[in-house]
Amino acid sequence: MSVRVACCQVALAVGEAGRNRGRVLEAAERAAREGAGIVVLPELSNSGYVFHDLGEAHRLAEPLDGPTVRGWMDLSRRSGAVVVGGLCEDRGGRISNTAVLVDPSGEVTVYRKAHLWGEETLFFEPGDEEPPVVETDFGRIGVVICYDLEFPEWVRIVALAGCDILCAPTNWPLYPRPAGERPMEVVRVQANAAANRIFIAACDRAGPERGVRWVEGSVIADPDGWPLAGPREGEGIISASCDLATARDKRIGERNDVFADRRPELYGDVVKTNEERRQEAR
């Protein structure tokens, strides 16, 4: 189950859909030529991120059978690689921040971002389905998008469903941090990987775009939480060989197993709604 995983950190420009598609596809093809079996692409890789208004977001959205996904399907068929990428999706008048997983058979698995960040709430409808876990020739691949990674319950759901590697298209805006410190977005990827004993491949983007700079934090973390590749500055491809079978061993020593040691009967408060918690506090 050893497979080379690649994240293609590409500079995107909002409103330049044809250019974005071309740059992303070129990077994905290069990663596949260099031996990647799983290729991860940024969030909203067809449209860019920093929309002026809802109308612009609608104009840049495209359906699942549009040119972006068709290009990824063709690449997957030709190369044998699984492609996971982000898409501004047109759903017949509604738009979603979507990720698709395409495998060489032509099967397309869709995930719509459940946790919307910042002004995304002005443009997108949130998804309401759990992240998928897809059985592929390389292993079991899960899919989430960007801000989803900040909800440990969401990542745990994927891990409990048997995910070996979680692929996460991202657009991480750059925020100040202390000198010499690793971006907190990358730290969260490492923590989620270690807590769940899975691989995580998070593919960020480069920029800038309409005054916004990006973390440029693409990273591939192993089940111990250590980076196998990334982060890196600017455009480029990071890759690492991942033995996905190791993600199925949840032991962390002779006496401990991060799944077997769970005590779900104690965790009820974690899944209570905010309203339920407010009622209890009265």
Side-chain angles (χ1 to χ4, degrees):
M1 294 177 66
S2 183
V3 59
R4 180 152 292 277
V5 178
C7 294
C8 301
Q9 187 166 282
V10 180
L12 306 172
V14 71
E16 299 183 19
R19 172 184 177 275
N20 293 339
R21 279 193 294 268
R23 293 177 70 87
V24 168
L25 189 57
E26 180 183 9
E29 288 177 337
R30 177 185 157 198
R33 285 196 306 271
E34 294 175 354
I38 300 173
V39 179
V40 191
L41 307 172
E43 180 182 10
L44 297 175
S45 63
N46 62 324
S47 62
Y49 187 92
V50 188
F51 305 118
H52 279 316
D53 52 36
L54 180 58
E56 182 176 52
H58 272 286
R59 289 191 297 274
L60 295 171
E62 62 182 87
L64 293 174
D65 60 357
T68 297
V69 177
R70 289 202 308 269
W72 297 345
M73 292 176 68
D74 180 61
L75 169 62
S76 180
R77 178 185 55 79
R78 289 185 285 107
S79 67
V82 173
V83 179
V84 181
L87 177 79
C88 182
E89 182 197 0
D90 180 356
R91 300 176 64 196
R94 300 176 295 163
I95 56 175
S96 294
N97 186 336
T98 297
V100 299
L101 181 153
V102 178
D103 72 22
S105 73
E107 186 74 22
V108 177
T109 301
V110 178
Y111 169 72
R112 298 181 177 102
K113 190 175 184 178
H115 304 92
L116 300 181
W117 169 262
E119 292 188 355
E120 290 176 27
T121 58
L122 304 178
F123 310 122
F124 302 117
E125 291 190 11
D128 56 7
E129 295 185 3
E130 291 183 1
V133 176
V134 181
E135 189 82 46
T136 75
D137 288 343
F138 302 111
R140 301 169 187 155
I141 303 177
V143 182
V144 297
I145 303 172
C146 201
Y147 187 41
D148 287 327
L149 289 167
E150 299 196 27
F151 296 84
E153 306 94 330
W154 211 233
V155 180
R156 178 53 61 95
I157 284 172
V158 181
L160 290 172
C163 172
D164 299 320
I165 181 167
L166 180 59
C167 296
T170 75
N171 280 186
W172 284 325
L174 179 65
Y175 293 103
R177 62 179 182 267
E181 290 291 346
R182 178 163 293 209
M184 191 53 61
E185 293 83 358
V186 174
V187 173
R188 278 190 284 265
V189 167
Q190 294 181 238
N192 274 312
N196 293 286
R197 302 290 303 162
I198 59 175
F199 292 89
I200 299 181
C203 184
D204 200 10
R205 58 166 290 178
E209 181 182 76
R210 290 181 174 170
V212 177
R213 295 176 59 201
W214 310 95
V215 170
E216 300 179 347
S218 297
V219 63
I220 301 168
D222 72 10
D224 290 318
W226 302 118
L228 299 175
R232 60 157 296 153
E233 294 183 359
E235 289 191 280
I237 298 171
I238 64 167
S239 67
S241 180
C242 300
D243 183 0
L244 297 189
T246 61
R248 301 187 182 184
D249 183 357
K250 305 301 181 182
R251 293 172 297 176
I252 49 172
E254 293 182 5
R255 295 179 176 84
N256 294 102
D257 181 301
V258 297
F259 280 9
D261 293 343
R262 294 172 63 244
R263 299 186 63 190
E265 70 276 10
L266 303 181
Y267 308 153
D269 281 353
V270 173
V271 294
K272 287 180 180 176
T273 67
N274 292 335
E275 180 58 31
E276 287 172 333
R277 297 182 67 85
R278 283 192 292 267
Q279 291 290 341
E280 290 177 355
R282 290 176 182 173

